[in-house]
Amino acid sequence: MSLSIDQVRAKVASQKTLLPALYGNVDFDATPERFTWDPALAVVRDRKPMGVEVTQEDLDRVHAYTMLGDVVADAYASLIPQFGFRRLIDLLTRACDQGIAAVPDAPPELVAFIAAMEATPDWVDMDLVREGARLDLNATAHLAPFAVRGAFIATFLNKYSALPMALTGTLSNDSAARRVNETATFFATTVLPGALERHGAGFKAAAMVRLMHSMVRFNALRSGRWDVGVYGVPIPQVDQMPAGLIPIFLMSFDIIGKGRRRFTPEERARVELARYRCFLLGLPEDLLADTPEGVVRAMTARNSTLRQGFDDATCGALIRATMAAYLPPDRSPANRLHDRIERRFAKVFFLKHFMKGDRAAAARMGVEVTPADRLVFGAVALGVVTEMAAFRAARHAPGLREISEAVLVRRVRRLLARYGHAEYVTDAARYRPAHAAA
C-alpha cells in the first residue's frame, strides 16, 4: 500500500533522528535547487504526455523522495570508520551467500539491512518476476551488449543527478569502463534462473549495488564538500528510477501511444521483474507503478521536477570518458572489432532514444554521430531484431522453449564472463569533489 504524502514526509524526516551522524545537519524541510516546481525549468516540460496528466500528489511525492536516501543501507555504510569498507563488503557477501546466521556477531545494522531485503512485500508477484526474467533473457543476450553504453551515458545528462558519479572518480576511462561493466553485470545477473531468489546471485548483486550507493552518500556527506542545498541527498530514491525503470517507461510510453491502457501478460511480467529489482535496490512501492499510465506519470513527475542543467565539467566529462572507455576484457582482434561496432551502435542508440535525434545537441556533449555510425547501427539492429524474433518464435514452438531458453542462459553467462567480476565498491580516497560542489 502506498504511503500518504504525510507518511512519506515523516519517513524522510526520520533520517535525521535515525542517522544523526550522517543526516543531522540536513534540513529536510528545505527544497534543494535541483528540484523545481516550474516545468519550464525542468528536464521535461510536458506534464501531460499523450493525455497522461501528472497530479499534484505525484509531484508532492517526488518532492519528498528527492530527499530520501536508504536508511538501512546508509546505517550499515556508516560503519565504515569502525570496520573499513572492505570488511563491510565481506560481511555482506557472507550474509547474502549463507544467511545472517553465518555471520558471527553480525552488526545490528547488517541484520536490519538483510531483513529489509528479505521482506518481500505482498505487492510483489514472484511467479511473474520469474517469468519476466525468462522473457528478458532474450534482450539481455542480444541487445544489451550493444545498448548498455548508450543507456549508461544517458544518466549523465543532468548535472544534479550525475554529480555522485563524478565524485567517485568515474571521469577516467578505466573507472568508466568498470562502472559500465558493473551495470551490465547487475542486470544480466538478475535474469538468470534463480538469481533473484534469496540466496541467488541477483539478490547479492542488488545488495552490493545498494551498499555502494550508501557508501557514496556517506563519503559525500561526510566530506563537507557536498552542497545539500543545491544537490539534495546524494543518489536519492528518485534518481534510481531511471536505471531501474527506463525500459519499462519506454515500453509504457509506446503502449499508450498505440492507444492501449493495459499491459499484456508478457509485458506485465517484465514490469514485475523491474519492480522487484527496484525493491531490492531500496525503492519504495510509491514509485513503482504497475500500469502504463502509472509508470508514465511517475517517471514524468520525476523528470518534470528535476531542474535542467548540463555542466560540461561534470556531465560532459562523464559522457566523454564513458564513450572513450574500452569495455572488452582484452585487446584480441575479435574484441577490438566488437568494441568499434558496439561504440558506433551506442552513439546512435543514445541519439535516438535519449536525444530525440538532435545530432547537434549530442555533438555538444561529446557524442558525434557520423553516417558510418548510422550504417553500423542499422546493420547491427537488423541482426539483433532478427535473432530476437527467432528466439521469441522458438519460445512458443512445441519442444523448443526449453532448448532456446538454455541457449540464452549460456549466452548470458558468457556475457557475464566477458564483463568480468563486479566489485560494486567506492573508495573515498578516489573522490574528486573539488569543482562539483561549487
Side-chain angles (χ1 to χ4, degrees), residues 335-404:
N335 276 333
R336 289 201 301 270
L337 176 61
H338 175 83
D339 175 72
R340 288 195 293 271
I341 293 172
E342 175 271 326
R343 201 186 301 262
R344 289 182 183 277
F345 184 96
K347 289 196 290 183
V348 181
F349 183 85
F350 170 74
L351 177 69
K352 289 171 65 70
H353 290 280
F354 302 104
M355 296 301 296
K356 299 181 180 179
D358 190 337
R359 292 177 59 188
R364 287 194 296 271
M365 297 175 181
V367 182
E368 296 191 22
V369 178
T370 67
D373 295 330
R374 291 180 177 274
L375 183 63
V376 169
F377 177 87
V380 172
L382 178 62
V384 167
V385 168
T386 301
E387 198 156 18
M388 288 182 64
F391 275 89
R392 277 196 299 270
R395 176 180 172 79
H396 298 289
L400 291 182
R401 174 171 177 161
E402 291 75 13
I403 295 173
S404 64

Side-chain angles (χ1 to χ4, degrees), residues 239-252:
D239 278 0
Q240 298 190 66
M241 292 172 65
L245 296 174
I246 275 293
I248 303 305
F249 172 66
L250 294 176
M251 180 177 73
S252 299

Side-chain angles (χ1 to χ4, degrees), residues 118-182:
E118 290 176 336
T120 304
D122 293 339
W123 51 265
V124 171
D125 184 330
M126 287 305 297
D127 288 335
L128 273 182
V129 170
R130 298 181 188 101
E131 179 66 9
R134 285 192 289 269
L135 290 167
D136 266 18
L137 279 168
N138 198 352
T140 301
H142 298 120
L143 177 60
F146 296 99
V148 63
R149 189 197 306 252
F152 193 77
I153 62 175
T155 63
F156 302 147
L157 294 178
N158 182 271
K159 69 177 184 179
Y160 298 103
S161 57
L163 181 57
M165 290 297 284
L167 286 178
T168 57
T170 312
L171 294 172
S172 71
N173 293 358
D174 289 342
S175 56
R178 185 174 66 253
R179 292 299 188 219
V180 173
N181 284 329
E182 284 178 347

Side-chain angles (χ1 to χ4, degrees), residues 247-267:
I248 303 305
F249 172 66
L250 294 176
M251 180 177 73
S252 299
F253 210 82
D254 183 60
I255 287 169
I256 293 173
K258 293 177 179 177
R260 288 198 285 130
R261 288 297 184 268
R262 292 185 179 182
F263 293 119
T264 65
E266 288 194 355
E267 290 165 348

Side-chain angles (χ1 to χ4, degrees), residues 415-430:
L415 279 177
L416 286 169
R418 180 185 185 86
Y419 296 146
H421 174 71
E423 295 184 354
Y424 300 121
V425 298
T426 177
D427 183 354
R430 296 172 51 244

Side-chain angles (χ1 to χ4, degrees), residues 76-109:
Y76 186 57
S78 295
L79 299 178
I80 289 176
Q82 181 181 347
F83 289 86
F85 72 91
R86 288 289 177 185
R87 178 64 174 160
L88 292 185
I89 291 167
D90 290 342
L91 293 177
L92 181 58
T93 299
R94 185 184 304 175
C96 289
D97 289 340
Q98 304 174 36
I100 196 67
V103 184
D105 301 319
E109 293 84 355

Side-chain angles (χ1 to χ4, degrees), residues 116-308:
M117 293 189 65
E118 290 176 336
T120 304
D122 293 339
W123 51 265
V124 171
D125 184 330
M126 287 305 297
D127 288 335
L128 273 182
V129 170
R130 298 181 188 101
E131 179 66 9
R134 285 192 289 269
L135 290 167
D136 266 18
L137 279 168
N138 198 352
T140 301
H142 298 120
L143 177 60
F146 296 99
V148 63
R149 189 197 306 252
F152 193 77
I153 62 175
T155 63
F156 302 147
L157 294 178
N158 182 271
K159 69 177 184 179
Y160 298 103
S161 57
L163 181 57
M165 290 297 284
L167 286 178
T168 57
T170 312
L171 294 172
S172 71
N173 293 358
D174 289 342
S175 56
R178 185 174 66 253
R179 292 299 188 219
V180 173
N181 284 329
E182 284 178 347
T183 300
T185 294
F186 170 71
F187 286 102
T189 297
T190 58
V191 301
L192 291 175
L196 290 175
E197 306 300 332
R198 167 57 186 88
H199 294 287
F203 183 98
K204 180 168 70 173
M208 294 301 170
V209 170
R210 199 163 168 176
L211 177 58
M212 179 185 68
H213 289 164
S214 287
M215 287 179 170
V216 171
R217 292 189 199 98
F218 176 84
N219 289 320
L221 290 171
R222 290 288 295 268
S223 71
R225 289 169 288 191
W226 178 272
D227 192 336
V228 175
V230 174
Y231 299 101
V233 170
I235 318 181
Q237 294 301 329
V238 292
D239 278 0
Q240 298 190 66
M241 292 172 65
L245 296 174
I246 275 293
I248 303 305
F249 172 66
L250 294 176
M251 180 177 73
S252 299
F253 210 82
D254 183 60
I255 287 169
I256 293 173
K258 293 177 179 177
R260 288 198 285 130
R261 288 297 184 268
R262 292 185 179 182
F263 293 119
T264 65
E266 288 194 355
E267 290 165 348
R268 184 66 185 82
R270 290 192 175 94
V271 170
E272 197 69 355
L273 169 65
R275 278 159 46 94
Y276 183 58
R277 276 194 300 224
C278 287
F279 159 74
L280 290 179
L281 292 174
L283 274 77
E285 179 190 3
D286 309 49
L287 301 178
L288 306 175
D290 60 358
T291 65
E293 289 190 14
V295 172
V296 170
R297 276 176 44 213
M299 192 68 78
T300 302
R302 184 262 181 187
N303 294 339
S304 67
T305 53
L306 176 62
R307 188 180 297 274
Q308 177 67 48

